[in-house]
Amino acid sequence: MAADAELLIDRRRLRRKLSLWRVLGIGGLVVAVGAVGLRVRSGGEALGLGSVRPQIARISVGGFIAGSESTTKLIERVRDASAVQGVVVSISSPGGTTTGSEELYRNLRALAEKKPMVAFVDGTAASGAYIAAIAADHIVARETALVGSIGVLFQYPDLSGLLDKIGVKVESVKSAPLKAEPSGFTPTSPEARAALAAVVGDTYAWFKGLVADRRKMTEKELATVSDGRVFSGRQSVPLKLVDGLGGERQAIAWLESERGVAKDLPVLDWKPKAKSDFRLWSALGLGADLVGLDGVAARLRQVGDETSGLAQGGLLVLWRPGPADAAR
């Protein structure tokens, strides 16, 4: 009987040890698989290939353009990577803020001074996105791409009529008549409108100056393309907005023929690094998915989502199709 009791105790100890190792093993698997999966999602650079393998780096510019520290650091990493022999900036964006577009342009120009760079318009390079495109020394666009929309927008609502109807009046005490104008609560005064127009006009002149300098346009050529319109890729070539038509392969061919980049190099995506906490929760969520822990994965992603945010501001260099051309 004593032997049976000892055998039973040993079995229980063994089961507890096995349970502990199972928990530790599943936890390790979640972390490891999640980390590998996240690295695969991030492209060759995250796998470590980007730092040692000769390549052409692809930087994608998409969506709304605003100031981004992560994008700035990405461009710096590409600039400093010895393995990067050339850069393709793939653009599909309607533009964004003037300050965000200016920051992106300056960073891309610094990159172009160190690495051969070409811009490829995959869908749209309008307003602020066109500012990014002209940072490159050569622009290739698809025939049906949308290019241009050279202009600046300052837009605000006038709620004064609505407030009058519902009987609400907003009072304000200001240090000067133009402080906090336009307010949206009262009709814009001629003086305030003139002050805003001066800011828009100055920024518009800056935008046109960039285009004239980078695209080597005369005043007459610039006037033709700077009225806020977008043009197709086919229209853009004779207007000197882009240099050639085609896809990414044609853009890379220019790097090879005109900038001496070696042929048949792999093209690897370089992406901004997410915040460390978001990367951790995303990796854990992906790992939990792969081992079948759906509930755990959902909760991990929720924690990651709660850490993210977006800030943007400034004048807009943005193209939006509609009854009124918002790019003017």
Side-chain angles (χ1 to χ4, degrees):
M1 294 297 294
D4 290 341
E6 290 179 1
L7 181 60
L8 182 60
I9 292 172
D10 288 340
R11 286 181 177 177
R12 287 177 178 175
R13 288 175 179 171
L14 180 59
R15 285 174 183 172
R16 284 197 295 269
K17 289 180 180 180
L18 288 175
S19 297
L20 175 62
W21 283 111
R22 285 195 188 103
V23 171
L24 293 176
I26 291 175
L29 181 62
V30 167
V31 173
V33 173
V36 171
L38 191 61
R39 284 170 174 256
V40 170
R41 283 185 177 184
S42 301
E45 182 225 347
L47 287 169
L49 300 176
S51 60
V52 297
R53 185 181 182 185
Q55 66 184 262
I56 293 173
R58 180 191 294 116
I59 298 175
S60 296
V61 176
F64 188 88
I65 298 173
S68 171
E69 183 180 356
S70 61
T71 299
T72 297
K73 291 181 177 179
L74 163 68
I75 295 173
E76 291 174 351
R77 295 203 314 272
V78 174
R79 185 188 65 198
D80 296 337
S82 59
V84 173
Q85 307 299 304
V87 180
V88 175
V89 181
S90 181
I91 301 173
S92 186
S93 166
T97 66
T98 51
T99 52
S101 301
E102 178 188 0
E103 178 185 39
L104 180 58
Y105 171 82
R106 302 295 181 198
N107 289 332
L108 289 175
R109 281 305 304 148
L111 175 60
E113 291 174 0
K114 198 167 182 181
K115 307 280 186 183
M117 188 172 77
V118 64
F120 165 51
V121 183
D122 195 16
T124 303
S127 290
Y130 186 64
I131 293 176
I134 62 178
D137 295 324
H138 190 80
I139 304 173
V140 175
R142 296 194 186 278
E143 293 188 45
T144 56
L146 296 177
V147 180
S149 186
I150 298 170
V152 180
L153 169 70
F154 189 96
Q155 197 172 48
Y156 57 94
D158 181 359
L159 304 176
S160 57
L162 174 63
L163 295 179
D164 287 341
K165 289 181 180 180
I166 61 178
V168 176
K169 186 176 181 180
V170 178
E171 298 284 357
S172 61
V173 178
K174 302 191 291 185
S175 59
L178 296 181
K179 178 64 178 177
E181 287 290 344
S183 70
F185 299 128
T186 58
T188 306
S189 67
E191 295 79 11
R193 188 175 297 276
L196 292 172
V199 174
V200 170
D202 182 69
T203 307
Y204 180 42
W206 166 81
F207 191 168
K208 291 194 295 182
L210 282 183
V211 176
D213 178 59
R214 295 294 302 155
R215 302 304 299 170
K216 309 303 179 188
M217 290 185 181
T218 65
E219 290 187 11
K220 183 177 180 180
E221 291 170 333
L222 182 62
T224 301
V225 300
S226 60
D227 62 357
R229 286 180 289 171
V230 290
F231 302 90
S232 70
R234 285 162 54 89
Q235 292 174 311
S236 297
V237 174
L239 293 174
K240 298 172 67 173
L241 290 170
V242 305
D243 299 293
L245 301 176
E248 187 179 74
R249 181 60 253 172
Q250 283 68 41
I252 294 172
W254 180 84
L255 288 175
E256 295 170 346
S257 62
E258 301 298 325
R259 289 295 185 266
V261 174
K263 292 186 177 182
D264 300 323
L265 288 178
V267 181
L268 301 183
D269 281 307
W270 284 62
K271 299 180 181 180
K273 291 182 178 178
K275 293 181 180 180
S276 58
D277 53 349
F278 181 73
R279 287 175 61 88
L280 172 62
W281 297 120
S282 297
L284 292 175
L286 179 60
D289 270 337
L290 294 176
V291 296
L293 302 177
D294 297 337
V296 175
R299 180 55 188 154
L300 289 170
R301 288 199 176 90
Q302 182 181 351
V303 172
D305 290 342
E306 290 169 356
T307 68
S308 63
L310 175 66
Q312 60 193 35
L315 295 178
L316 298 179
V317 274
L318 178 69
W319 176 77
R320 290 194 297 248
D325 187 356
R328 293 172 183 253

